[in-house]
Amino acid sequence: MTSQSNIEVEGITKVDEWRNDWCLFAREALGVNLDAEQEKILHSVQVNPRTSVASGTARGKDFVTAVAAMCFMFLTPRWDDKGELIANTKVALTAPTDRQVKNIMMPEISRLYNRAKKIMGGFGDISRLNAYDIRTDYEEWFLTGFKADEHNHEAWSGFHAVNTMFAITEASGISDDTFNAIEGNLQGNSRILIVFNPNTTVGYAAKSQKGDRWAKFRLNSMDAPNVVSKREIIPGQVDHNWIADKLENWCTKIHEHEARSEEDDFEYDGQWYRPTDVFRIKVLGKFPKVSEDNLIPEQWVELANKRWLEAKENGFVPSGKRVVGSDIAGMGRDNTVDCHKWTDYVEKFDVYNSAGVADHMASAGRLKNLLSHKETFVSIDTIGEGAGVYSRLVELGEEERAISCKYSERASQNDKPLKDITDQYEFLNMRAYLFWCVRDWLNPKNGFNAMLPPNSVFMEEATEIKWKFRSDGKIQIEAKEDIKKRLGRSPDLFDALANTFYPIKPTIKNNLSKIASLI
């Protein structure tokens, strides 16, 4: 084998290594050192179709976006033995304004490109850097940057390729219509990476941090290497002096006993702080504090998830009464959901895809099998599809431990109105009462120490529900149709959990009333 052949083989081997490890390509070919969080993001773009990054200020979100775009640009094309391009690659960089593309995104690309030319002598032979793009000798292999124009969806029509990537900065400033146009191009080996400061709780970017479609990351400026070490490790990233100034001006100092998780209170260098919304957004990379009409703050769910993970790690095994809340699917609905809950612990959500075909007898059989355990109850939503399942369980002799949960009935027991944990508030109907029970159960101030398995679908559902006081002082939950419009689906997991709080009939031994008894 000739020396030239050896070089070619070594080159092919090295490219294969880079294709398998984009972080290695970033280090060896682009000459950059990403921090640990940035490497996780880059790896996510390598393997996941959708990656969402909410970030604090100067945390390197645009830099890692540029690195990911360069990796995709140069590692995804394929050629045949004759040198013909058989798998083309197109990368689009976009932002709400032309200035952001020209002054933020393309300079990052330029620095990476020029560094790669110095490291790999032949890099410039296969491509050319221009003001807004990187072009090659192949018309169908390029990277380009341009402003996202919500009125010009045709701009996205040329981005069909075997390998397609959309890298979007300041994504919270881009309209949902534009994202819908981009979504139409996510075919084949496609990627979408969106990075943004989480300055609003609505819109496509905000929704990407919920749900289960996206790999989700949050870059907290306080975790930046320069801040943690209190010295410059990565030039240009946020530093300790900037953080110290924002702690002084964007936070309120508090005592440890005043700390509240729902306020995102935190400790830094021995002092406790309560952040303002601007600190949440610009430093913590978190959304503004949830509005007062949201039923469940995200922080409460996160705490319950953390307790659940700790309980599993410590070998926790639940005991006593179990209530399975069941939300039954029917025609046109995809999923039946069973929520398995003990007093302060949800073991799991079982989700059954019905493919739009209601199979009530299968659901009844499954729940009947669960009731073979003596200390198990099932609480079934009997407004609609669940009525047939409940009736079948009654026919099978399970009338004492099968609970008919009707959301529309009065929120009362023994002719007395059901109230919240403070014994102050009454409710429009049973649905409002049960949803509020979930709120009271998750509220850290109430001391139930709720444990929930991490589930991005549940998180999205729980944090979308809104409530209000009626003129008569009763609490009302917004209509299900309004929730579905925002979610794009029914909040089935949340409904199933809410069902578990339905008061057990007075005839049952050891009756539990109100949330203070919490099944």
Side-chain angles (χ1 to χ4, degrees):
M1 183 177 290
T2 66
S3 176
Q4 179 65 32
S5 297
N6 286 332
I7 292 173
E8 290 176 357
V9 170
E10 290 173 3
I12 292 171
T13 301
K14 176 54 67 176
V15 171
D16 286 340
E17 287 181 14
W18 289 338
R19 282 174 172 159
N20 291 326
D21 186 348
W22 286 13
C23 292
L24 183 65
F25 178 78
R27 289 192 296 271
E28 295 184 348
L30 302 181
V32 299
N33 289 311
L34 302 175
D35 64 42
E37 292 301 312
Q38 290 173 326
E39 284 204 345
K40 290 177 184 177
I41 293 168
L42 182 58
H43 179 70
S44 174
V45 178
Q46 178 180 347
V47 300
N48 293 311
R50 292 175 172 84
T51 301
S52 168
V53 182
S55 176
T57 298
R59 190 57 183 84
K61 68 181 187 303
D62 295 314
F63 177 67
V64 73
T65 299
V67 172
M70 289 287 285
C71 289
F72 194 88
M73 167 73 177
F74 290 104
L75 296 179
T76 57
R78 300 281 179 166
W79 292 264
D80 62 17
D81 293 339
K82 299 178 181 178
E84 297 292 327
L85 183 65
I86 57 174
N88 62 327
T89 292
K90 298 179 182 180
V91 180
L93 308 179
T94 193
T97 68
D98 182 72
R99 181 193 64 81
Q100 289 164 329
V101 176
K102 182 179 180 180
N103 297 338
I104 298 176
M105 300 191 77
M106 287 310 300
E108 296 284 11
I109 291 292
S110 297
R111 281 190 285 271
L112 292 170
Y113 183 89
N114 289 325
R115 188 179 292 123
K117 280 182 65 176
K118 291 181 180 178
I119 294 172
M120 299 186 298
F123 197 75
D125 297 337
I126 60 172
S127 57
R128 298 172 298 280
L129 175 66
N130 301 309
Y132 281 90
D133 54 33
I134 296 175
R135 292 288 170 173
T136 71
D137 292 337
Y138 300 89
E139 185 177 348
E140 294 294 299
W141 177 26
F142 60 83
L143 176 153
T144 187
F146 56 90
K147 169 190 171 184
D149 187 348
E150 63 181 303
H151 304 295
N152 182 20
H153 291 177
E154 289 78 11
W156 306 102
S157 61
F159 280 89
H160 295 292
V162 175
N163 308 297
T164 309
M165 179 177 179
F166 299 90
I168 305 163
T169 192
E170 306 301 339
S172 57
I174 293 178
S175 73
D176 285 8
D177 284 346
T178 297
F179 278 115
N180 290 336
I182 294 172
E183 286 267 9
N185 292 282
L186 297 179
Q187 304 165 14
N189 182 40
S190 63
R191 300 289 189 276
I192 179 170
L193 167 63
I194 64 175
V195 298
F196 58 99
N197 296 119
N199 47 28
T200 178
T201 60
V202 298
Y204 185 97
K207 192 173 182 179
S208 72
Q209 283 284 310
K210 303 176 183 178
D212 58 353
R213 297 179 75 215
W214 295 78
K216 299 176 285 293
F217 298 87
R218 180 168 62 87
L219 291 175
N220 183 341
S221 296
M222 297 184 72
D223 295 334
N226 296 347
V227 177
V228 174
S229 64
K230 297 183 180 179
R231 61 186 178 87
E232 185 179 272
I233 294 177
I234 302 178
Q237 272 205 22
V238 60
D239 59 27
H240 174 70
N241 290 336
W242 187 86
I243 291 292
D245 178 71
K246 302 318 171 193
L247 287 169
E248 190 68 27
N249 291 283
W250 289 350
C251 294
T252 301
K253 293 180 180 179
I254 61 173
H255 296 291
E256 183 176 359
H257 71 270
E258 299 175 295
R260 298 169 57 189
S261 60
E262 61 267 34
E263 298 287 350
D264 284 321
D265 296 340
F266 62 94
E267 184 268 338
Y268 184 76
D269 276 356
Q271 173 63 54
W272 280 86
Y273 295 91
R274 177 161 296 165
T276 60
D277 269 350
V278 68
F279 192 92
R280 284 189 183 87
I281 297 165
K282 299 293 187 180
V283 180
L284 301 180
K286 288 190 172 185
F287 291 104
K289 187 175 182 293
V290 66
S291 61
E292 295 299 325
D293 63 345
N294 276 65
L295 185 70
I296 310 288
E298 182 176 322
Q299 297 92 328
W300 294 0
V301 181
E302 289 175 343
L303 282 172
N305 295 160
K306 181 180 178 182
R307 284 190 291 263
W308 188 91
L309 291 170
E310 289 173 349
K312 294 293 284 186
E313 185 176 342
N314 293 326
F316 174 78
V317 177
S319 60
K321 286 186 175 66
R322 171 180 60 166
V323 177
V324 179
S326 189
D327 190 54
I328 305 296
M331 300 295 291
R333 282 184 50 202
D334 290 336
N335 298 323
T336 286
V337 178
D338 292 342
C339 173
H340 299 250
K341 175 179 166 291
W342 281 259
T343 302
D344 54 4
Y345 178 81
V346 170
E347 179 188 31
K348 59 181 177 177
F349 292 97
D350 281 331
V351 180
Y352 302 92
N353 191 303
S354 66
V357 178
D359 193 346
H360 296 163
M361 291 305 99
S363 294
R366 183 182 68 255
L367 296 177
K368 170 66 175 175
N369 184 59
L370 292 174
L371 288 170
S372 64
H373 300 276
K374 292 183 179 180
E375 291 190 281
T376 294
F377 295 78
V378 294
S379 182
I380 305 165
D381 177 7
T382 53
I383 299 297
E385 301 296 337
V389 176
Y390 173 76
S391 296
R392 178 57 179 160
L393 289 175
V394 171
E395 289 176 0
L396 295 172
E398 297 292 355
E399 63 274 7
E400 286 196 344
R401 290 190 292 133
I403 303 166
S404 173
C405 179
K406 290 186 173 67
Y407 279 2
S408 59
E409 67 182 355
R410 289 178 56 205
S412 64
Q413 188 177 42
N414 299 330
D415 294 325
K416 293 182 179 180
L418 291 164
K419 296 186 179 183
D420 75 310
I421 194 171
T422 68
D423 207 33
Q424 296 182 56
Y425 302 138
E426 296 182 17
F427 301 89
L428 173 64
N429 51 27
M430 185 60 74
R431 175 173 179 259
Y433 169 74
L434 297 177
F435 277 39
W436 200 266
C437 284
V438 178
R439 174 187 168 93
D440 274 345
W441 182 65
L442 287 170
N443 188 339
K445 292 191 298 183
N446 294 333
F448 291 115
N449 295 320
M451 292 177 275
L452 270 174
N455 187 299
S456 58
V457 176
F458 177 85
M459 173 69 85
E460 185 178 21
E461 294 175 3
T463 55
E464 282 289 342
I465 300 168
K466 299 184 182 298
W467 69 280
K468 67 179 181 179
F469 283 114
R470 294 203 328 163
S471 59
D472 60 3
K474 291 184 178 180
I475 288 174
Q476 178 179 357
I477 303 297
E478 69 174 323
K480 191 169 191 174
E481 289 306 312
D482 292 335
I483 301 171
K484 289 172 68 174
K485 285 179 183 177
R486 291 196 302 277
L487 285 176
R489 65 174 192 280
S490 175
D492 298 329
L493 274 71
F494 191 91
D495 286 351
L497 175 58
N499 290 355
T500 68
F501 290 90
Y502 191 91
I504 290 181
K505 303 170 187 176
T507 55
I508 298 296
K509 190 177 181 180
N510 297 324
N511 170 52
L512 306 177
S513 63
K514 299 197 323 175
I515 191 169
S517 306
L518 285 177
I519 299 167

